[in-house]
Coordinates of all heavy atoms in Angstrom, one line a residue:
M9 N 92.0 146.3 91.1 CA 91.9 145.3 92.1 C 92.1 143.9 91.5 O 91.5 143.5 90.5 CB 90.5 145.4 92.7 CG 90.4 144.8 94.1 SD 88.8 145.1 94.8 CE 88.0 143.5 94.8
Q10 N 92.9 143.2 92.2 CA 93.1 141.8 91.7 C 92.2 140.8 92.3 O 92.0 140.8 93.5 CB 94.6 141.5 91.9 CG 95.5 141.7 90.7 CD 96.8 141.1 90.9 OE1 97.3 141.1 92.1 NE2 97.5 140.7 89.9
K11 N 91.8 140.0 91.5 CA 91.0 138.9 92.0 C 91.9 137.8 92.5 O 92.8 137.4 91.8 CB 90.1 138.3 90.9 CG 88.9 137.7 91.5 CD 87.9 137.3 90.3 CE 86.7 136.6 90.9 NZ 85.8 136.2 89.8
R12 N 91.7 137.5 93.7 CA 92.5 136.5 94.3 C 92.1 135.1 93.9 O 91.0 134.7 94.0 CB 92.5 136.6 95.8 CG 93.5 137.6 96.3 CD 93.9 137.3 97.7 NE 92.8 137.3 98.7 CZ 92.9 136.9 99.9 NH1 94.0 136.5 100.4 NH2 91.8 136.9 100.7
R13 N 93.1 134.4 93.4 CA 92.8 133.0 92.9 C 93.6 132.0 93.6 O 94.4 131.3 93.0 CB 93.0 132.9 91.4 CG 91.8 133.3 90.6 CD 91.8 132.5 89.3 NE 90.6 132.8 88.6 CZ 90.3 132.1 87.5 NH1 91.1 131.2 87.0 NH2 89.2 132.4 86.9
T14 N 93.5 132.1 94.9 CA 94.4 131.2 95.7 C 93.7 129.9 95.8 O 92.6 129.8 96.4 CB 94.8 131.8 97.0 OG1 93.6 132.4 97.6 CG2 95.9 132.8 96.9
R15 N 94.3 128.9 95.4 CA 93.8 127.6 95.6 C 94.1 127.2 97.1 O 95.1 127.6 97.6 CB 94.4 126.6 94.7 CG 93.4 125.7 94.0 CD 94.1 124.7 93.2 NE 93.9 125.0 91.7 CZ 94.5 124.3 90.8 NH1 95.3 123.3 91.1 NH2 94.3 124.6 89.5
K16 N 93.2 126.5 97.6 CA 93.5 126.1 99.0 C 94.7 125.2 99.1 O 94.8 124.1 98.7 CB 92.3 125.3 99.5 CG 91.3 126.1 100.3 CD 90.2 125.3 100.9 CE 89.0 126.1 101.3 NZ 87.9 125.3 101.7
K17 N 95.7 125.9 99.6 CA 97.0 125.1 99.8 C 97.0 124.5 101.2 O 96.9 125.2 102.2 CB 98.2 126.1 99.6 CG 98.7 126.0 98.2 CD 100.0 126.9 98.1 CE 100.3 127.1 96.7 NZ 101.4 128.1 96.6
R18 N 97.2 123.3 101.2 CA 97.2 122.6 102.5 C 98.7 122.4 102.8 O 99.5 122.0 101.9 CB 96.5 121.3 102.4 CG 96.2 120.8 103.8 CD 95.1 119.8 103.8 NE 93.8 120.5 103.7 CZ 92.6 119.9 103.6 NH1 92.6 118.6 103.6 NH2 91.5 120.6 103.4
V19 N 99.0 122.7 104.0 CA 100.4 122.5 104.4 C 100.6 121.0 104.4 O 99.9 120.2 105.0 CB 100.6 123.0 105.9 CG1 102.1 122.9 106.3 CG2 100.1 124.4 106.0
S20 N 101.6 120.6 103.7 CA 101.9 119.2 103.5 C 102.4 118.6 104.9 O 103.4 119.0 105.4 CB 102.9 118.9 102.5 OG 104.1 119.5 102.8
R21 N 101.5 117.8 105.4 CA 101.9 117.1 106.6 C 102.1 115.6 106.4 O 101.5 115.1 105.5 CB 100.8 117.3 107.7 CG 99.5 116.7 107.3 CD 98.6 116.8 108.5 NE 97.9 118.1 108.5 CZ 97.2 118.6 109.5 NH1 97.2 117.9 110.6 NH2 96.6 119.7 109.5
P22 N 103.0 115.1 107.1 CA 103.2 113.7 106.9 C 102.0 112.8 107.2 O 101.4 112.9 108.2 CB 104.3 113.3 107.9 CG 104.3 114.4 108.9 CD 103.8 115.6 108.2
K23 N 101.6 112.1 106.2 CA 100.4 111.3 106.3 C 100.7 110.0 107.1 O 100.7 108.9 106.5 CB 99.8 111.0 105.0 CG 99.0 112.1 104.4 CD 97.6 112.2 105.0 CE 96.9 113.4 104.4 NZ 95.6 113.7 105.1
I24 N 101.0 110.2 108.3 CA 101.2 109.0 109.1 C 100.3 109.0 110.3 O 100.1 110.1 110.9 CB 102.7 108.8 109.5 CG1 103.0 107.5 110.2 CG2 103.2 110.0 110.3 CD1 104.3 106.9 110.0
C25 N 99.8 107.9 110.6 CA 98.9 107.9 111.7 C 99.6 108.1 113.0 O 100.6 107.4 113.3 CB 98.2 106.5 111.7 SG 97.2 106.2 113.2
R26 N 99.1 109.0 113.8 CA 99.8 109.4 115.1 C 99.7 108.2 116.1 O 100.6 108.1 116.9 CB 99.1 110.6 115.7 CG 99.6 111.9 115.1 CD 99.1 113.1 115.8 NE 98.3 113.9 115.0 CZ 97.7 115.0 115.3 NH1 97.7 115.4 116.6 NH2 97.0 115.7 114.5
F27 N 98.7 107.5 116.0 CA 98.6 106.4 116.9 C 99.5 105.2 116.5 O 100.1 104.6 117.4 CB 97.1 105.9 117.0 CG 96.2 106.9 117.5 CD1 95.3 107.6 116.6 CD2 96.2 107.3 118.8 CE1 94.4 108.6 117.1 CE2 95.3 108.3 119.3 CZ 94.5 108.9 118.4
C28 N 99.6 105.0 115.2 CA 100.6 103.9 114.8 C 102.0 104.3 115.2 O 102.8 103.5 115.6 CB 100.5 103.8 113.3 SG 99.0 102.8 112.8
E29 N 102.2 105.6 115.0 CA 103.6 106.1 115.4 C 103.9 105.8 116.8 O 105.0 105.5 117.1 CB 103.5 107.6 115.2 CG 104.8 108.1 114.5 CD 104.7 109.6 114.2 OE1 103.8 110.3 114.8 OE2 105.5 110.1 113.4
M30 N 102.9 106.0 117.7 CA 103.2 105.8 119.1 C 102.9 104.4 119.6 O 102.8 104.1 120.7 CB 102.3 106.8 119.9 CG 102.7 108.2 119.7 SD 101.8 109.3 120.8 CE 100.1 109.2 120.1
N31 N 102.6 103.5 118.6 CA 102.2 102.1 118.9 C 101.1 102.0 119.8 O 101.1 101.2 120.8 CB 103.4 101.3 119.4 CG 104.4 101.0 118.3 OD1 104.1 100.6 117.2 ND2 105.7 101.3 118.6
V32 N 100.0 102.7 119.6 CA 98.9 102.7 120.4 C 98.0 101.5 120.0 O 97.7 101.4 118.8 CB 98.1 104.0 120.3 CG1 96.8 103.9 121.1 CG2 98.9 105.2 120.8
E33 N 97.7 100.7 120.9 CA 96.9 99.5 120.6 C 95.4 99.8 120.9 O 94.5 99.2 120.3 CB 97.4 98.3 121.5 CG 98.6 97.6 120.9 CD 98.3 97.1 119.5 OE1 97.2 96.4 119.2 OE2 99.1 97.3 118.6
Y34 N 95.2 100.6 121.9 CA 93.8 100.9 122.3 C 93.7 102.4 122.7 O 94.6 102.9 123.5 CB 93.5 100.0 123.5 CG 92.1 100.3 124.1 CD1 91.0 99.9 123.4 CD2 92.0 101.0 125.3 CE1 89.7 100.2 123.9 CE2 90.8 101.3 125.8 CZ 89.6 100.9 125.1 OH 88.4 101.2 125.6
I35 N 92.8 103.1 122.1 CA 92.6 104.5 122.5 C 91.6 104.6 123.6 O 90.5 104.2 123.5 CB 92.1 105.3 121.2 CG1 93.1 105.2 120.1 CG2 91.8 106.7 121.6 CD1 92.6 105.6 118.7
D36 N 92.1 105.1 124.7 CA 91.3 105.2 125.9 C 90.4 106.4 125.8 O 90.9 107.5 125.6 CB 92.2 105.3 127.1 CG 91.5 104.8 128.4 OD1 90.3 104.7 128.3 OD2 92.2 104.6 129.4
F37 N 89.1 106.2 126.1 CA 88.2 107.4 126.0 C 88.4 108.3 127.2 O 87.8 109.4 127.2 CB 86.8 106.9 125.9 CG 86.2 106.2 127.1 CD1 85.6 106.9 128.1 CD2 86.3 104.8 127.2 CE1 85.1 106.2 129.2 CE2 85.8 104.1 128.2 CZ 85.2 104.8 129.3
I38 N 89.1 107.9 128.2 CA 89.3 108.7 129.4 C 90.3 109.8 129.0 O 90.3 110.9 129.6 CB 89.9 107.9 130.5 CG1 88.8 106.9 131.0 CG2 90.4 108.7 131.7 CD1 87.5 107.5 131.6
D39 N 91.1 109.5 128.0 CA 92.2 110.5 127.6 C 91.5 111.6 126.7 O 91.7 111.7 125.5 CB 93.2 109.7 126.8 CG 94.5 110.6 126.6 OD1 94.5 111.7 127.1 OD2 95.4 110.1 126.0
A40 N 90.8 112.5 127.4 CA 90.0 113.5 126.7 C 91.0 114.5 125.9 O 90.6 115.0 124.9 CB 89.2 114.3 127.6
E41 N 92.1 114.7 126.4 CA 93.0 115.6 125.8 C 93.4 115.2 124.4 O 93.5 115.9 123.5 CB 94.3 115.8 126.7 CG 94.8 117.2 126.8 CD 95.8 117.3 127.8 OE1 95.5 117.4 129.0 OE2 97.0 117.3 127.5
T42 N 93.7 113.9 124.3 CA 94.1 113.3 123.0 C 92.9 113.4 122.1 O 93.0 113.7 120.9 CB 94.5 111.9 123.2 OG1 95.6 111.8 124.1 CG2 95.1 111.3 121.9
L43 N 91.7 113.0 122.6 CA 90.5 113.0 121.8 C 90.2 114.3 121.2 O 89.8 114.5 120.1 CB 89.3 112.5 122.6 CG 89.4 111.1 123.2 CD1 88.1 110.7 123.9 CD2 89.7 110.0 122.1
R44 N 90.4 115.4 122.0 CA 90.1 116.7 121.6 C 90.9 117.1 120.4 O 90.5 118.0 119.6 CB 90.3 117.7 122.7 CG 89.1 117.7 123.6 CD 89.0 119.0 124.5 NE 88.1 118.7 125.6 CZ 88.5 118.5 126.8 NH1 89.8 118.6 127.1 NH2 87.6 118.3 127.8
K45 N 92.1 116.6 120.3 CA 93.0 116.9 119.2 C 92.4 116.4 117.9 O 92.8 116.9 116.8 CB 94.4 116.3 119.4 CG 95.2 117.1 120.4 CD 96.5 116.4 120.6 CE 97.2 116.9 121.9 NZ 98.2 115.9 122.3
F46 N 91.5 115.5 117.9 CA 91.0 114.9 116.7 C 89.5 115.4 116.5 O 88.8 114.8 115.8 CB 91.0 113.4 116.8 CG 92.5 112.9 116.7 CD1 93.2 112.7 117.8 CD2 93.0 112.7 115.4 CE1 94.6 112.3 117.7 CE2 94.3 112.3 115.3 CZ 95.1 112.1 116.4
Q47 N 89.2 116.5 117.2 CA 87.9 117.1 117.0 C 88.0 118.5 116.6 O 89.0 119.2 116.9 CB 87.1 117.0 118.4 CG 86.7 115.6 118.7 CD 85.8 115.7 120.0 OE1 86.3 116.2 121.0 NE2 84.6 115.3 119.9
T48 N 86.9 119.0 116.0 CA 86.8 120.4 115.7 C 86.4 121.1 116.9 O 86.1 120.5 118.0 CB 85.8 120.7 114.6 OG1 84.5 120.3 115.1 CG2 86.1 119.9 113.3
E49 N 86.3 122.4 116.8 CA 85.9 123.2 118.0 C 84.5 122.9 118.4 O 84.1 123.0 119.6 CB 86.0 124.7 117.7 CG 87.4 125.2 117.7 CD 87.6 126.6 117.1 OE1 86.6 127.3 117.1 OE2 88.7 126.9 116.6
K50 N 83.7 122.5 117.4 CA 82.3 122.2 117.7 C 82.1 120.8 118.2 O 81.0 120.3 118.5 CB 81.5 122.4 116.5 CG 81.3 123.9 116.2 CD 80.4 124.1 115.0 CE 80.2 125.6 114.8 NZ 79.4 125.8 113.6
G51 N 83.2 120.0 118.3 CA 83.2 118.7 118.8 C 82.9 117.6 117.8 O 82.6 116.5 118.1
K52 N 83.1 118.0 116.5 CA 83.0 117.0 115.4 C 84.3 116.3 115.3 O 85.4 116.8 115.5 CB 82.7 117.7 114.1 CG 81.2 118.1 113.9 CD 81.1 118.6 112.5 CE 79.6 118.6 112.1 NZ 79.5 119.1 110.7
I53 N 84.2 115.0 114.9 CA 85.4 114.2 114.7 C 86.0 114.6 113.4 O 85.3 114.6 112.4 CB 85.0 112.7 114.8 CG1 84.4 112.4 116.1 CG2 86.3 111.9 114.5 CD1 83.7 111.0 116.1
L54 N 87.3 114.9 113.4 CA 88.0 115.3 112.2 C 88.1 114.1 111.3 O 88.4 113.0 111.7 CB 89.3 115.8 112.5 CG 89.4 117.2 113.1 CD1 90.8 117.5 113.7 CD2 89.1 118.3 112.1
P55 N 87.9 114.3 110.0 CA 88.0 113.2 109.0 C 89.4 112.7 108.9 O 90.4 113.4 109.1 CB 87.4 113.7 107.7 CG 87.6 115.2 107.9 CD 87.4 115.5 109.3
R56 N 89.5 111.5 108.4 CA 90.9 110.9 108.2 C 91.8 111.7 107.3 O 93.0 111.7 107.5 CB 90.7 109.5 107.7 CG 90.3 108.5 108.7 CD 90.8 107.1 108.4 NE 90.4 106.7 107.0 CZ 91.2 106.0 106.2 NH1 92.4 105.7 106.6 NH2 90.8 105.7 105.0
R57 N 91.2 112.3 106.3 CA 92.0 113.0 105.3 C 92.6 114.2 105.9 O 93.6 114.7 105.4 CB 91.2 113.3 104.1 CG 90.1 114.3 104.3 CD 89.2 114.4 103.1 NE 87.8 114.5 103.4 CZ 87.3 115.7 103.8 NH1 88.0 116.8 103.9 NH2 86.0 115.7 104.0
V58 N 92.1 114.7 107.0 CA 92.7 115.8 107.7 C 93.8 115.4 108.7 O 94.9 115.9 108.7 CB 91.6 116.6 108.5 CG1 92.2 117.8 109.3 CG2 90.6 117.1 107.5
T59 N 93.5 114.4 109.5 CA 94.4 114.0 110.5 C 95.4 112.9 110.0 O 96.5 112.8 110.6 CB 93.6 113.4 111.7 OG1 92.8 112.3 111.3 CG2 92.7 114.4 112.4
G60 N 95.1 112.2 109.0 CA 96.0 111.2 108.5 C 96.0 109.9 109.3 O 96.8 109.1 109.2
T61 N 95.0 109.8 110.2 CA 94.8 108.6 111.0 C 94.4 107.4 110.1 O 93.7 107.5 109.2 CB 93.8 108.8 112.1 OG1 94.0 110.1 112.6 CG2 93.8 107.8 113.2
C62 N 95.0 106.3 110.4 CA 94.6 105.1 109.7 C 93.2 104.6 110.0 O 92.7 105.0 111.0 CB 95.7 104.0 109.9 SG 95.6 103.2 111.5
L63 N 92.7 103.8 109.2 CA 91.3 103.3 109.3 C 91.1 102.6 110.7 O 90.1 102.9 111.3 CB 91.0 102.4 108.2 CG 89.5 101.9 108.1 CD1 88.6 103.0 107.8 CD2 89.4 100.8 107.1
R64 N 92.0 101.8 111.0 CA 91.9 101.1 112.3 C 91.8 102.0 113.5 O 90.9 101.9 114.3 CB 93.1 100.2 112.4 CG 93.0 99.0 113.3 CD 94.2 98.1 113.2 NE 95.3 98.6 113.9 CZ 95.7 98.3 115.1 NH1 95.0 97.4 115.7 NH2 96.7 98.8 115.6
H65 N 92.7 103.0 113.5 CA 92.7 103.9 114.6 C 91.6 104.9 114.6 O 91.1 105.3 115.6 CB 94.1 104.6 114.7 CG 95.1 103.7 115.3 ND1 96.3 103.3 114.7 CD2 95.2 103.1 116.6 CE1 97.0 102.6 115.5 NE2 96.4 102.4 116.6
Q66 N 91.2 105.3 113.3 CA 90.1 106.2 113.2 C 88.8 105.6 113.8 O 88.0 106.3 114.5 CB 89.9 106.5 111.7 CG 88.7 107.5 111.5 CD 89.1 108.9 111.9 OE1 90.2 109.3 112.1 NE2 88.1 109.8 112.0
K67 N 88.6 104.3 113.6 CA 87.4 103.6 114.1 C 87.5 103.6 115.6 O 86.5 103.9 116.3 CB 87.4 102.2 113.6 CG 86.7 102.2 112.2 CD 86.3 100.8 111.8 CE 85.5 100.9 110.5 NZ 85.4 99.6 109.8
M68 N 88.7 103.3 116.1 CA 88.9 103.2 117.6 C 88.6 104.6 118.2 O 88.0 104.8 119.2 CB 90.3 102.9 117.9 CG 90.5 101.4 118.2 SD 92.2 101.2 118.8 CE 92.8 100.1 117.6
L69 N 89.1 105.6 117.5 CA 89.0 107.0 117.9 C 87.5 107.4 118.0 O 87.1 108.0 119.0 CB 89.7 107.9 116.9 CG 89.8 109.3 117.3 CD1 90.8 109.5 118.5 CD2 90.3 110.2 116.1
S70 N 86.8 107.1 116.9 CA 85.4 107.5 116.9 C 84.6 106.8 118.0 O 83.7 107.4 118.6 CB 84.7 107.2 115.6 OG 84.7 105.8 115.3
V71 N 84.9 105.5 118.3 CA 84.3 104.8 119.4 C 84.6 105.5 120.7 O 83.8 105.8 121.6 CB 84.7 103.3 119.4 CG1 84.2 102.7 120.7 CG2 84.1 102.6 118.2
A72 N 85.9 105.8 120.9 CA 86.4 106.5 122.1 C 85.7 107.8 122.3 O 85.3 108.2 123.4 CB 87.9 106.6 122.0
I73 N 85.6 108.6 121.2 CA 85.0 109.9 121.3 C 83.5 109.8 121.7 O 83.0 110.5 122.5 CB 85.2 110.7 120.0 CG1 86.6 111.2 119.9 CG2 84.2 111.9 120.0 CD1 87.0 111.9 118.6
K74 N 82.8 108.8 121.1 CA 81.4 108.6 121.4 C 81.2 108.2 122.8 O 80.2 108.7 123.5 CB 80.8 107.6 120.4 CG 80.4 108.2 119.1 CD 80.3 107.2 118.0 CE 80.3 107.9 116.7 NZ 80.3 106.9 115.6
R75 N 82.1 107.4 123.3 CA 82.0 107.0 124.7 C 82.3 108.2 125.6 O 81.6 108.4 126.6 CB 83.0 105.9 125.0 CG 82.5 104.6 124.6 CD 83.4 103.5 125.0 NE 83.0 102.2 124.4 CZ 83.8 101.2 124.1 NH1 85.1 101.3 124.4 NH2 83.4 100.2 123.6
A76 N 83.3 109.0 125.2 CA 83.6 110.2 126.0 C 82.5 111.2 126.1 O 82.3 111.9 127.1 CB 84.9 110.8 125.5
R77 N 81.7 111.2 125.0 CA 80.6 112.1 124.9 C 79.5 111.7 125.9 O 78.9 112.6 126.5 CB 80.0 112.1 123.5 CG 80.6 113.0 122.5 CD 80.0 112.8 121.2 NE 80.7 113.6 120.2 CZ 80.7 113.3 118.9 NH1 80.0 112.2 118.5 NH2 81.4 114.0 118.0
I78 N 79.3 110.4 126.1 CA 78.3 110.0 127.0 C 78.6 110.4 128.4 O 77.7 110.9 129.1 CB 78.2 108.4 126.9 CG1 77.7 108.0 125.5 CG2 77.3 107.9 128.0 CD1 77.9 106.5 125.2
I79 N 79.8 110.4 128.8 CA 80.1 110.8 130.1 C 80.6 112.3 130.1 O 81.2 112.8 131.0 CB 81.2 109.9 130.8 CG1 82.4 109.8 130.0 CG2 80.6 108.6 131.2 CD1 83.6 109.1 130.7
S80 N 80.3 112.9 129.0 CA 80.6 114.4 128.8 C 82.0 114.8 129.1 O 82.2 115.8 129.8 CB 79.5 115.3 129.4 OG 79.2 114.8 130.7
L81 N 82.9 114.0 128.6 CA 84.3 114.4 128.7 C 84.7 115.4 127.6 O 85.4 116.3 127.8 CB 85.2 113.2 128.6 CG 85.6 112.5 129.9 CD1 86.4 111.3 129.6 CD2 86.4 113.4 130.8
V82 N 84.1 115.1 126.4 CA 84.3 115.9 125.3 C 82.9 116.4 124.7 O 81.9 115.8 125.1 CB 85.1 115.2 124.2 CG1 86.5 115.0 124.6 CG2 84.4 114.0 123.7
L83 N 83.0 117.3 123.8 CA 81.7 117.7 123.2 C 81.1 116.7 122.3 O 81.9 116.0 121.6 CB 82.0 119.0 122.4 CG 82.1 120.3 123.2 CD1 82.6 121.4 122.3 CD2 80.8 120.7 123.9
Ligands
ZN130 ZN1 97.0 103.9 113.1

């Protein structure tokens, strides 16, 4: 039996912020569909190193998600 020594290979994805790409100036918390893409199944906000979102947009995103949580749009 061989011991598997697979290092976690991450699929190389372009580290470009999706919001910058789309020239998003403001992330609307009403847009739950977009917000969910940046959350885990349990409703946690995905870290920047996973999504590649820039700092500016990550902050906006977290605010948007927190607002959306209040009105229970997202987990
Ligand atoms: Zn950005």
Side-chain angles (χ1 to χ4, degrees):
M9 201 173 108
Q10 260 190 329
K11 204 172 180 184
R12 278 206 297 172
R13 272 209 176 190
T14 42
R15 227 184 253 175
K16 266 186 196 170
K17 262 187 195 168
R18 197 156 285 177
V19 185
S20 62
R21 64 174 84 195
K23 281 279 179 190
I24 186 148
C25 172
R26 275 187 242 180
F27 297 107
C28 284
E29 224 177 14
M30 296 187 287
N31 285 316
V32 176
E33 279 301 314
Y34 175 76
I35 299 164
D36 203 348
F37 66 90
I38 294 296
D39 194 3
E41 221 170 279
T42 307
L43 300 181
R44 279 199 196 105
K45 284 178 196 160
F46 291 90
Q47 285 186 303
T48 62
E49 282 166 27
K50 289 184 179 176
K52 279 185 165 182
I53 301 167
L54 285 166
R56 281 206 308 138
R57 65 188 143 82
V58 176
T59 57
T61 315
C62 72
L63 186 65
R64 201 170 76 98
H65 281 119
Q66 180 75 16
K67 277 195 172 161
M68 263 189 240
L69 185 73
S70 67
V71 171
I73 287 175
K74 278 162 195 170
R75 282 188 185 149
R77 275 177 188 158
I78 294 167
I79 54 169
S80 44
L81 269 176
V82 293
L83 285 170

